Amino acid sequence: MVNAGNLSPAHILVIDDESDALAILHTSLTRCGYQVTLAESATIALDLLKEMSFDLVLCDLCLTEISGIEFTRTVSHMHPNLPIVVITGFCDVDAARESLRSGASDFITKPLEISRLPIILENNLQRKKIEAQKLLKHRAEVLFKAIKALAAAIDAKSHYTGCHSARMAGLCLEIGKEMGLNSERLKTLELAAHIHDVGKIGTPDAVLTKPGKLTDDEWADILKHPSMGADFLSGIDELAEVATIVRHHHEHVDGSGYPDGLKGNAIPPLARILAVADAFEAMTSNRPYRKAISYEEAVEELQVNAGTQFDVAVVSATANVIANIIYAREDKAA
């Protein structure tokens, strides 16, 4: 079974406290062609979800450390676009309903019919693929205009950050093209860039425009905006992937970012592009607490932090894009 986005096997994370059950699921799923990673506890699974990228989570609801419902709720917030299939007791309708309310995309009852398991998993993998394609196939122009209008409203909260989202979107598109993204991925990236700061609607204006050092409480308000934005967007089916990108655009590749401390490939690729573009745009714009720096200085800063804060490949692509912009400016001036 291949990942909907490429030719590699779909990567399944399986969580169960019982080692025998894990062994059976591992054997069955690998025989079906899946890449399988096992976790014997919710804690181990959450750590894996911070470090690796998965296409689907298969989880037993009877976990010992935390309840399967709580685990499902946590994962659905951390990765809004990730399908979660839960395993529940036979005829336990209440548990099944609660799991769906907590973010699960489907459930399987015990005793498991191993022969039917791949069909259920494929249904959920393909459903997510179809939901992602909806954004292109059925996105009304009014949705895109509404997103841009909302982004402009957010930027208008501060004259220092006016048009920030529009500039971000333009830069993200250039970086995406430099990295060879197709038109579908570019459109998703553009939408995410326009709406990446939607969570700041809930941030007090006095915090956003404060010229001096922020207090701990004010920093706490700032740090909430990616998760708040994702929570807002995740309620719109067509924007589920955009919600994931928005949530993680302040993660660092070394795991020191927020809100979930994801690292490396666990951070969505488009979120890694957003992170670099956001940092560059912020550094080259005047803010209440400092003056803008030059494009050259900003690129140097990105390169210093490549591999720790920023994705190395994205920084490299950004450097090429900025070099072309500087060359074009100089050529025009000449």
Side-chain angles (χ1 to χ4, degrees):
M1 307 293 180
V2 299
N3 186 330
N6 51 56
L7 297 179
S8 62
H11 193 179
I12 312 295
L13 174 61
V14 182
I15 305 100
D16 199 309
D17 289 339
E18 298 182 9
S19 57
D20 289 344
L22 280 180
I24 292 172
L25 289 170
H26 182 268
T27 299
S28 301
L29 294 176
T30 52
R31 283 177 179 173
C32 292
Y34 294 109
Q35 179 184 352
V36 181
T37 296
L38 305 178
E40 295 181 349
S41 72
T43 300
I44 293 173
L46 290 174
D47 286 341
L48 289 169
L49 284 161
K50 291 182 178 181
E51 298 183 2
M52 303 173 68
S53 177
F54 296 96
D55 298 300
L56 184 143
V57 171
L58 178 62
C59 171
D60 195 312
L61 278 184
C62 295
L63 301 175
T64 54
E65 293 182 323
I66 62 174
S67 71
I69 298 295
E70 183 59 32
F71 173 78
T72 299
R73 185 177 293 111
T74 300
V75 174
S76 68
H77 278 87
M78 185 185 296
H79 296 289
N81 198 43
L82 182 64
I84 306 169
V85 177
V86 299
I87 303 171
T88 186
F90 179 66
C91 290
D92 193 349
V93 178
D94 290 339
R97 287 174 178 166
E98 182 63 22
S99 69
L100 295 175
R101 285 194 291 266
S102 299
S105 53
D106 208 345
F107 64 90
I108 312 170
T109 57
K110 296 179 180 178
L112 294 181
E113 294 183 38
I114 295 298
S115 62
R116 293 191 65 248
L117 185 56
I119 297 173
I120 294 171
L121 299 186
E122 282 302 308
N123 282 342
N124 285 273
L125 288 166
Q126 292 305 314
R127 187 184 305 146
K128 284 299 178 182
K129 177 184 177 181
I130 292 169
E131 286 175 0
Q133 290 173 339
K134 276 185 181 179
L135 189 58
L136 286 178
K137 292 181 178 179
H138 306 293
R139 185 189 68 250
E141 188 63 28
V142 66
L143 176 62
F144 188 54
K145 289 181 178 179
I147 287 173
K148 293 179 71 174
L150 182 57
I154 297 164
D155 288 342
K157 284 169 71 73
S158 170
H159 67 276
Y160 282 99
T161 58
C163 298
H164 167 68
S165 297
R167 291 194 299 267
M168 272 275 297
L171 179 56
C172 281
L173 284 175
E174 293 305 314
I175 297 171
K177 291 174 185 176
E178 178 71 18
M179 298 186 74
L181 298 186
N182 62 32
S183 59
E184 178 181 347
R185 306 309 293 150
L186 287 173
K187 181 55 67 176
T188 301
L189 178 62
E190 182 181 12
L191 285 173
H194 274 294
I195 206 69
H196 73 286
D197 275 342
V198 65
K200 287 185 177 178
I201 286 179
T203 305
D205 291 352
V207 174
L208 294 176
T209 59
K210 185 175 180 178
K213 184 178 179 180
L214 297 179
T215 66
D216 289 345
D217 287 343
E218 289 168 339
W219 264 118
D221 285 334
I222 292 291
L223 296 180
K224 290 176 184 175
H225 82 270
S227 56
M228 289 179 64
D231 288 346
F232 173 78
L233 297 172
S234 61
I236 306 171
D237 288 343
E238 291 83 358
L239 296 180
E241 184 181 9
V242 174
T244 300
I245 297 165
V246 167
R247 181 178 181 91
H248 298 303
H249 77 278
H250 279 296
E251 305 283 5
H252 297 170
V253 294
D254 65 0
S256 63
Y258 61 92
D260 298 307
L262 303 191
K263 62 174 66 173
N265 290 334
I267 305 171
L270 299 189
R272 286 177 250 159
I273 294 177
L274 219 61
V276 173
D278 193 23
F280 179 86
E281 210 288 317
M283 288 188 287
T284 55
S285 302
N286 289 322
R287 293 298 169 90
Y289 46 87
R290 56 140 181 84
K291 294 290 186 180
I293 63 175
S294 69
Y295 279 17
E296 292 87 350
E297 290 172 315
V299 169
E300 288 179 7
E301 186 66 20
L302 293 175
Q303 291 169 333
V304 167
N305 292 282
T308 53
Q309 182 174 351
F310 304 117
D311 182 284
V312 172
V314 177
V315 170
S316 177
T318 304
N320 291 340
V321 167
I322 300 306
N324 290 334
I325 292 174
I326 294 172
Y327 178 79
R329 284 181 173 179
E330 292 176 345
D331 188 52
K332 185 177 180 179

PDB file of all heavy atoms in Angstrom, residues 255-289:
ATOM      1  N   GLY A 255      13.742  20.490  17.325  1.00  0.00           N
ATOM      2  CA  GLY A 255      12.754  20.178  18.344  1.00  0.00           C
ATOM      3  C   GLY A 255      12.542  21.251  19.388  1.00  0.00           C
ATOM      4  O   GLY A 255      11.780  21.054  20.337  1.00  0.00           O
ATOM      5  N   SER A 256      13.190  22.406  19.242  1.00  0.00           N
ATOM      6  CA  SER A 256      13.105  23.453  20.272  1.00  0.00           C
ATOM      7  C   SER A 256      11.983  24.461  20.017  1.00  0.00           C
ATOM      8  O   SER A 256      11.841  25.423  20.765  1.00  0.00           O
ATOM      9  CB  SER A 256      14.439  24.211  20.354  1.00  0.00           C
ATOM     10  OG  SER A 256      14.720  24.890  19.140  1.00  0.00           O
ATOM     11  N   GLY A 257      11.172  24.242  18.993  1.00  0.00           N
ATOM     12  CA  GLY A 257      10.117  25.193  18.674  1.00  0.00           C
ATOM     13  C   GLY A 257       8.817  24.903  19.407  1.00  0.00           C
ATOM     14  O   GLY A 257       8.784  24.145  20.375  1.00  0.00           O
ATOM     15  N   TYR A 258       7.744  25.498  18.933  1.00  0.00           N
ATOM     16  CA  TYR A 258       6.434  25.355  19.572  1.00  0.00           C
ATOM     17  C   TYR A 258       5.352  25.281  18.500  1.00  0.00           C
ATOM     18  O   TYR A 258       5.617  25.637  17.336  1.00  0.00           O
ATOM     19  CB  TYR A 258       6.181  26.535  20.531  1.00  0.00           C
ATOM     20  CG  TYR A 258       6.151  27.916  19.900  1.00  0.00           C
ATOM     21  CD1 TYR A 258       4.949  28.491  19.465  1.00  0.00           C
ATOM     22  CD2 TYR A 258       7.324  28.655  19.721  1.00  0.00           C
ATOM     23  CE1 TYR A 258       4.917  29.752  18.896  1.00  0.00           C
ATOM     24  CE2 TYR A 258       7.297  29.918  19.145  1.00  0.00           C
ATOM     25  CZ  TYR A 258       6.094  30.459  18.733  1.00  0.00           C
ATOM     26  OH  TYR A 258       6.059  31.710  18.158  1.00  0.00           O
ATOM     27  N   PRO A 259       4.151  24.716  18.794  1.00  0.00           N
ATOM     28  CA  PRO A 259       3.641  24.388  20.137  1.00  0.00           C
ATOM     29  C   PRO A 259       3.915  22.956  20.599  1.00  0.00           C
ATOM     30  O   PRO A 259       3.691  22.639  21.759  1.00  0.00           O
ATOM     31  CB  PRO A 259       2.125  24.589  19.968  1.00  0.00           C
ATOM     32  CG  PRO A 259       1.865  24.210  18.548  1.00  0.00           C
ATOM     33  CD  PRO A 259       3.073  24.689  17.778  1.00  0.00           C
ATOM     34  N   ASP A 260       4.367  22.074  19.708  1.00  0.00           N
ATOM     35  CA  ASP A 260       4.462  20.658  20.050  1.00  0.00           C
ATOM     36  C   ASP A 260       5.888  20.110  20.119  1.00  0.00           C
ATOM     37  O   ASP A 260       6.082  18.937  20.420  1.00  0.00           O
ATOM     38  CB  ASP A 260       3.660  19.822  19.043  1.00  0.00           C
ATOM     39  CG  ASP A 260       2.190  20.176  19.056  1.00  0.00           C
ATOM     40  OD1 ASP A 260       1.593  20.148  20.147  1.00  0.00           O
ATOM     41  OD2 ASP A 260       1.643  20.499  17.985  1.00  0.00           O
ATOM     42  N   GLY A 261       6.894  20.935  19.844  1.00  0.00           N
ATOM     43  CA  GLY A 261       8.275  20.468  19.899  1.00  0.00           C
ATOM     44  C   GLY A 261       8.591  19.424  18.860  1.00  0.00           C
ATOM     45  O   GLY A 261       9.437  18.546  19.082  1.00  0.00           O
ATOM     46  N   LEU A 262       7.946  19.489  17.684  1.00  0.00           N
ATOM     47  CA  LEU A 262       8.263  18.552  16.607  1.00  0.00           C
ATOM     48  C   LEU A 262       9.675  18.819  16.102  1.00  0.00           C
ATOM     49  O   LEU A 262      10.195  19.929  16.208  1.00  0.00           O
ATOM     50  CB  LEU A 262       7.280  18.700  15.446  1.00  0.00           C
ATOM     51  CG  LEU A 262       5.788  18.525  15.731  1.00  0.00           C
ATOM     52  CD1 LEU A 262       5.023  18.444  14.416  1.00  0.00           C
ATOM     53  CD2 LEU A 262       5.516  17.306  16.577  1.00  0.00           C
ATOM     54  N   LYS A 263      10.287  17.790  15.518  1.00  0.00           N
ATOM     55  CA  LYS A 263      11.632  17.966  14.976  1.00  0.00           C
ATOM     56  C   LYS A 263      11.747  17.290  13.611  1.00  0.00           C
ATOM     57  O   LYS A 263      10.999  16.367  13.291  1.00  0.00           O
ATOM     58  CB  LYS A 263      12.690  17.424  15.926  1.00  0.00           C
ATOM     59  CG  LYS A 263      12.602  15.932  16.209  1.00  0.00           C
ATOM     60  CD  LYS A 263      13.788  15.438  17.047  1.00  0.00           C
ATOM     61  CE  LYS A 263      13.795  16.028  18.439  1.00  0.00           C
ATOM     62  NZ  LYS A 263      14.845  15.410  19.286  1.00  0.00           N
ATOM     63  N   GLY A 264      12.702  17.776  12.809  1.00  0.00           N
ATOM     64  CA  GLY A 264      13.033  17.145  11.530  1.00  0.00           C
ATOM     65  C   GLY A 264      11.837  16.905  10.640  1.00  0.00           C
ATOM     66  O   GLY A 264      10.990  17.772  10.420  1.00  0.00           O
ATOM     67  N   ASN A 265      11.762  15.680  10.111  1.00  0.00           N
ATOM     68  CA  ASN A 265      10.725  15.327   9.150  1.00  0.00           C
ATOM     69  C   ASN A 265       9.329  15.227   9.759  1.00  0.00           C
ATOM     70  O   ASN A 265       8.346  15.088   9.024  1.00  0.00           O
ATOM     71  CB  ASN A 265      11.077  14.004   8.462  1.00  0.00           C
ATOM     72  CG  ASN A 265      12.260  14.144   7.529  1.00  0.00           C
ATOM     73  OD1 ASN A 265      12.528  15.233   7.014  1.00  0.00           O
ATOM     74  ND2 ASN A 265      12.984  13.063   7.307  1.00  0.00           N
ATOM     75  N   ALA A 266       9.232  15.267  11.083  1.00  0.00           N
ATOM     76  CA  ALA A 266       7.901  15.280  11.711  1.00  0.00           C
ATOM     77  C   ALA A 266       7.199  16.606  11.458  1.00  0.00           C
ATOM     78  O   ALA A 266       5.974  16.691  11.547  1.00  0.00           O
ATOM     79  CB  ALA A 266       8.015  15.017  13.207  1.00  0.00           C
ATOM     80  N   ILE A 267       7.943  17.653  11.143  1.00  0.00           N
ATOM     81  CA  ILE A 267       7.365  18.953  10.813  1.00  0.00           C
ATOM     82  C   ILE A 267       6.905  18.901   9.360  1.00  0.00           C
ATOM     83  O   ILE A 267       7.679  18.550   8.476  1.00  0.00           O
ATOM     84  CB  ILE A 267       8.399  20.085  10.989  1.00  0.00           C
ATOM     85  CG1 ILE A 267       8.989  20.067  12.404  1.00  0.00           C
ATOM     86  CG2 ILE A 267       7.757  21.447  10.698  1.00  0.00           C
ATOM     87  CD1 ILE A 267      10.167  21.005  12.578  1.00  0.00           C
ATOM     88  N   PRO A 268       5.641  19.240   9.065  1.00  0.00           N
ATOM     89  CA  PRO A 268       5.178  19.210   7.678  1.00  0.00           C
ATOM     90  C   PRO A 268       6.091  20.024   6.764  1.00  0.00           C
ATOM     91  O   PRO A 268       6.513  21.127   7.127  1.00  0.00           O
ATOM     92  CB  PRO A 268       3.781  19.837   7.767  1.00  0.00           C
ATOM     93  CG  PRO A 268       3.347  19.582   9.170  1.00  0.00           C
ATOM     94  CD  PRO A 268       4.598  19.674  10.007  1.00  0.00           C
ATOM     95  N   PRO A 269       6.420  19.499   5.582  1.00  0.00           N
ATOM     96  CA  PRO A 269       7.336  20.211   4.673  1.00  0.00           C
ATOM     97  C   PRO A 269       6.931  21.645   4.374  1.00  0.00           C
ATOM     98  O   PRO A 269       7.776  22.538   4.346  1.00  0.00           O
ATOM     99  CB  PRO A 269       7.303  19.339   3.406  1.00  0.00           C
ATOM    100  CG  PRO A 269       6.968  17.973   3.895  1.00  0.00           C
ATOM    101  CD  PRO A 269       6.012  18.185   5.041  1.00  0.00           C
ATOM    102  N   LEU A 270       5.637  21.879   4.159  1.00  0.00           N
ATOM    103  CA  LEU A 270       5.200  23.245   3.849  1.00  0.00           C
ATOM    104  C   LEU A 270       5.320  24.162   5.059  1.00  0.00           C
ATOM    105  O   LEU A 270       5.537  25.367   4.913  1.00  0.00           O
ATOM    106  CB  LEU A 270       3.768  23.239   3.317  1.00  0.00           C
ATOM    107  CG  LEU A 270       3.538  22.453   2.018  1.00  0.00           C
ATOM    108  CD1 LEU A 270       2.133  22.702   1.476  1.00  0.00           C
ATOM    109  CD2 LEU A 270       4.576  22.792   0.954  1.00  0.00           C
ATOM    110  N   ALA A 271       5.199  23.604   6.262  1.00  0.00           N
ATOM    111  CA  ALA A 271       5.396  24.401   7.476  1.00  0.00           C
ATOM    112  C   ALA A 271       6.853  24.826   7.597  1.00  0.00           C
ATOM    113  O   ALA A 271       7.152  25.914   8.101  1.00  0.00           O
ATOM    114  CB  ALA A 271       4.971  23.604   8.705  1.00  0.00           C
ATOM    115  N   ARG A 272       7.765  23.974   7.138  1.00  0.00           N
ATOM    116  CA  ARG A 272       9.188  24.336   7.178  1.00  0.00           C
ATOM    117  C   ARG A 272       9.484  25.496   6.227  1.00  0.00           C
ATOM    118  O   ARG A 272      10.323  26.357   6.512  1.00  0.00           O
ATOM    119  CB  ARG A 272      10.046  23.116   6.806  1.00  0.00           C
ATOM    120  CG  ARG A 272      10.116  22.065   7.901  1.00  0.00           C
ATOM    121  CD  ARG A 272      10.922  20.862   7.451  1.00  0.00           C
ATOM    122  NE  ARG A 272      10.062  19.701   7.265  1.00  0.00           N
ATOM    123  CZ  ARG A 272      10.368  18.650   6.521  1.00  0.00           C
ATOM    124  NH1 ARG A 272      11.511  18.620   5.865  1.00  0.00           N
ATOM    125  NH2 ARG A 272       9.550  17.628   6.411  1.00  0.00           N
ATOM    126  N   ILE A 273       8.805  25.527   5.091  1.00  0.00           N
ATOM    127  CA  ILE A 273       8.958  26.659   4.169  1.00  0.00           C
ATOM    128  C   ILE A 273       8.383  27.921   4.796  1.00  0.00           C
ATOM    129  O   ILE A 273       8.993  28.995   4.762  1.00  0.00           O
ATOM    130  CB  ILE A 273       8.259  26.356   2.824  1.00  0.00           C
ATOM    131  CG1 ILE A 273       8.966  25.202   2.107  1.00  0.00           C
ATOM    132  CG2 ILE A 273       8.234  27.609   1.937  1.00  0.00           C
ATOM    133  CD1 ILE A 273       8.288  24.784   0.805  1.00  0.00           C
ATOM    134  N   LEU A 274       7.216  27.789   5.386  1.00  0.00           N
ATOM    135  CA  LEU A 274       6.569  28.926   6.035  1.00  0.00           C
ATOM    136  C   LEU A 274       7.454  29.518   7.127  1.00  0.00           C
ATOM    137  O   LEU A 274       7.552  30.744   7.278  1.00  0.00           O
ATOM    138  CB  LEU A 274       5.238  28.468   6.645  1.00  0.00           C
ATOM    139  CG  LEU A 274       4.048  29.421   6.557  1.00  0.00           C
ATOM    140  CD1 LEU A 274       3.697  29.695   5.101  1.00  0.00           C
ATOM    141  CD2 LEU A 274       2.847  28.824   7.265  1.00  0.00           C
ATOM    142  N   ALA A 275       8.124  28.651   7.894  1.00  0.00           N
ATOM    143  CA  ALA A 275       8.971  29.100   8.998  1.00  0.00           C
ATOM    144  C   ALA A 275      10.103  29.990   8.500  1.00  0.00           C
ATOM    145  O   ALA A 275      10.403  31.037   9.091  1.00  0.00           O
ATOM    146  CB  ALA A 275       9.539  27.894   9.750  1.00  0.00           C
ATOM    147  N   VAL A 276      10.738  29.583   7.419  1.00  0.00           N
ATOM    148  CA  VAL A 276      11.861  30.358   6.875  1.00  0.00           C
ATOM    149  C   VAL A 276      11.367  31.674   6.280  1.00  0.00           C
ATOM    150  O   VAL A 276      11.953  32.745   6.517  1.00  0.00           O
ATOM    151  CB  VAL A 276      12.619  29.524   5.819  1.00  0.00           C
ATOM    152  CG1 VAL A 276      13.680  30.378   5.125  1.00  0.00           C
ATOM    153  CG2 VAL A 276      13.275  28.306   6.469  1.00  0.00           C
ATOM    154  N   ALA A 277      10.292  31.605   5.501  1.00  0.00           N
ATOM    155  CA  ALA A 277       9.757  32.824   4.886  1.00  0.00           C
ATOM    156  C   ALA A 277       9.294  33.816   5.946  1.00  0.00           C
ATOM    157  O   ALA A 277       9.513  35.030   5.824  1.00  0.00           O
ATOM    158  CB  ALA A 277       8.604  32.470   3.950  1.00  0.00           C
ATOM    159  N   ASP A 278       8.680  33.318   7.009  1.00  0.00           N
ATOM    160  CA  ASP A 278       8.193  34.169   8.094  1.00  0.00           C
ATOM    161  C   ASP A 278       9.361  34.870   8.774  1.00  0.00           C
ATOM    162  O   ASP A 278       9.301  36.079   9.050  1.00  0.00           O
ATOM    163  CB  ASP A 278       7.420  33.311   9.095  1.00  0.00           C
ATOM    164  CG  ASP A 278       6.609  34.150  10.081  1.00  0.00           C
ATOM    165  OD1 ASP A 278       6.292  35.302   9.757  1.00  0.00           O
ATOM    166  OD2 ASP A 278       6.303  33.644  11.173  1.00  0.00           O
ATOM    167  N   ALA A 279      10.415  34.113   9.061  1.00  0.00           N
ATOM    168  CA  ALA A 279      11.584  34.700   9.715  1.00  0.00           C
ATOM    169  C   ALA A 279      12.251  35.756   8.831  1.00  0.00           C
ATOM    170  O   ALA A 279      12.616  36.838   9.300  1.00  0.00           O
ATOM    171  CB  ALA A 279      12.584  33.600  10.068  1.00  0.00           C
ATOM    172  N   PHE A 280      12.394  35.435   7.548  1.00  0.00           N
ATOM    173  CA  PHE A 280      13.027  36.388   6.624  1.00  0.00           C
ATOM    174  C   PHE A 280      12.199  37.670   6.524  1.00  0.00           C
ATOM    175  O   PHE A 280      12.745  38.771   6.601  1.00  0.00           O
ATOM    176  CB  PHE A 280      13.182  35.768   5.239  1.00  0.00           C
ATOM    177  CG  PHE A 280      13.810  36.693   4.236  1.00  0.00           C
ATOM    178  CD1 PHE A 280      15.188  36.783   4.128  1.00  0.00           C
ATOM    179  CD2 PHE A 280      13.027  37.516   3.429  1.00  0.00           C
ATOM    180  CE1 PHE A 280      15.776  37.671   3.230  1.00  0.00           C
ATOM    181  CE2 PHE A 280      13.592  38.394   2.532  1.00  0.00           C
ATOM    182  CZ  PHE A 280      14.978  38.468   2.434  1.00  0.00           C
ATOM    183  N   GLU A 281      10.902  37.518   6.361  1.00  0.00           N
ATOM    184  CA  GLU A 281      10.037  38.679   6.206  1.00  0.00           C
ATOM    185  C   GLU A 281      10.050  39.536   7.480  1.00  0.00           C
ATOM    186  O   GLU A 281      10.046  40.763   7.415  1.00  0.00           O
ATOM    187  CB  GLU A 281       8.616  38.202   5.895  1.00  0.00           C
ATOM    188  CG  GLU A 281       7.807  39.167   5.031  1.00  0.00           C
ATOM    189  CD  GLU A 281       7.399  40.418   5.773  1.00  0.00           C
ATOM    190  OE1 GLU A 281       6.984  40.302   6.932  1.00  0.00           O
ATOM    191  OE2 GLU A 281       7.509  41.516   5.187  1.00  0.00           O
ATOM    192  N   ALA A 282      10.087  38.867   8.646  1.00  0.00           N
ATOM    193  CA  ALA A 282      10.120  39.606   9.909  1.00  0.00           C
ATOM    194  C   ALA A 282      11.432  40.379  10.058  1.00  0.00           C
ATOM    195  O   ALA A 282      11.433  41.543  10.474  1.00  0.00           O
ATOM    196  CB  ALA A 282       9.948  38.640  11.078  1.00  0.00           C
ATOM    197  N   MET A 283      12.549  39.729   9.717  1.00  0.00           N
ATOM    198  CA  MET A 283      13.857  40.379   9.870  1.00  0.00           C
ATOM    199  C   MET A 283      14.028  41.574   8.946  1.00  0.00           C
ATOM    200  O   MET A 283      14.717  42.546   9.286  1.00  0.00           O
ATOM    201  CB  MET A 283      14.981  39.366   9.628  1.00  0.00           C
ATOM    202  CG  MET A 283      15.151  38.351  10.732  1.00  0.00           C
ATOM    203  SD  MET A 283      16.627  37.314  10.516  1.00  0.00           S
ATOM    204  CE  MET A 283      16.139  36.257   9.158  1.00  0.00           C
ATOM    205  N   THR A 284      13.398  41.535   7.777  1.00  0.00           N
ATOM    206  CA  THR A 284      13.588  42.602   6.793  1.00  0.00           C
ATOM    207  C   THR A 284      12.477  43.653   6.840  1.00  0.00           C
ATOM    208  O   THR A 284      12.345  44.460   5.929  1.00  0.00           O
ATOM    209  CB  THR A 284      13.677  42.006   5.371  1.00  0.00           C
ATOM    210  OG1 THR A 284      12.511  41.206   5.115  1.00  0.00           O
ATOM    211  CG2 THR A 284      14.923  41.137   5.233  1.00  0.00           C
ATOM    212  N   SER A 285      11.675  43.605   7.907  1.00  0.00           N
ATOM    213  CA  SER A 285      10.617  44.606   8.108  1.00  0.00           C
ATOM    214  C   SER A 285      10.849  45.334   9.425  1.00  0.00           C
ATOM    215  O   SER A 285      11.352  44.748  10.387  1.00  0.00           O
ATOM    216  CB  SER A 285       9.247  43.930   8.148  1.00  0.00           C
ATOM    217  OG  SER A 285       8.996  43.208   6.962  1.00  0.00           O
ATOM    218  N   ASN A 286      10.480  46.596   9.475  1.00  0.00           N
ATOM    219  CA  ASN A 286      10.564  47.351  10.727  1.00  0.00           C
ATOM    220  C   ASN A 286       9.540  46.827  11.725  1.00  0.00           C
ATOM    221  O   ASN A 286       8.394  46.537  11.356  1.00  0.00           O
ATOM    222  CB  ASN A 286      10.319  48.842  10.477  1.00  0.00           C
ATOM    223  CG  ASN A 286      11.460  49.498   9.737  1.00  0.00           C
ATOM    224  OD1 ASN A 286      12.622  49.186   9.980  1.00  0.00           O
ATOM    225  ND2 ASN A 286      11.139  50.411   8.828  1.00  0.00           N
ATOM    226  N   ARG A 287       9.941  46.695  12.953  1.00  0.00           N
ATOM    227  CA  ARG A 287       9.052  46.251  14.022  1.00  0.00           C
ATOM    228  C   ARG A 287       9.150  47.244  15.184  1.00  0.00           C
ATOM    229  O   ARG A 287      10.100  48.033  15.247  1.00  0.00           O
ATOM    230  CB  ARG A 287       9.448  44.843  14.491  1.00  0.00           C
ATOM    231  CG  ARG A 287       9.204  43.764  13.416  1.00  0.00           C
ATOM    232  CD  ARG A 287       7.727  43.666  13.073  1.00  0.00           C
ATOM    233  NE  ARG A 287       7.452  42.852  11.902  1.00  0.00           N
ATOM    234  CZ  ARG A 287       7.218  41.545  11.935  1.00  0.00           C
ATOM    235  NH1 ARG A 287       7.266  40.907  13.089  1.00  0.00           N
ATOM    236  NH2 ARG A 287       6.939  40.892  10.833  1.00  0.00           N
ATOM    237  N   PRO A 288       8.205  47.210  16.115  1.00  0.00           N
ATOM    238  CA  PRO A 288       8.212  48.182  17.224  1.00  0.00           C
ATOM    239  C   PRO A 288       9.501  48.139  18.030  1.00  0.00           C
ATOM    240  O   PRO A 288       9.925  49.161  18.588  1.00  0.00           O
ATOM    241  CB  PRO A 288       7.012  47.747  18.081  1.00  0.00           C
ATOM    242  CG  PRO A 288       6.119  47.001  17.164  1.00  0.00           C
ATOM    243  CD  PRO A 288       7.031  46.325  16.182  1.00  0.00           C
ATOM    244  N   TYR A 289      10.133  46.989  18.103  1.00  0.00           N
ATOM    245  CA  TYR A 289      11.291  46.804  18.980  1.00  0.00           C
ATOM    246  C   TYR A 289      12.630  46.836  18.243  1.00  0.00           C
ATOM    247  O   TYR A 289      13.678  46.749  18.867  1.00  0.00           O
ATOM    248  CB  TYR A 289      11.154  45.467  19.721  1.00  0.00           C
ATOM    249  CG  TYR A 289      10.748  44.315  18.834  1.00  0.00           C
ATOM    250  CD1 TYR A 289      11.688  43.562  18.142  1.00  0.00           C
ATOM    251  CD2 TYR A 289       9.397  44.002  18.666  1.00  0.00           C
ATOM    252  CE1 TYR A 289      11.310  42.535  17.311  1.00  0.00           C
ATOM    253  CE2 TYR A 289       9.009  42.956  17.847  1.00  0.00           C
ATOM    254  CZ  TYR A 289       9.971  42.220  17.165  1.00  0.00           C
ATOM    255  OH  TYR A 289       9.585  41.205  16.341  1.00  0.00           O
TER     256      TYR A 289
END
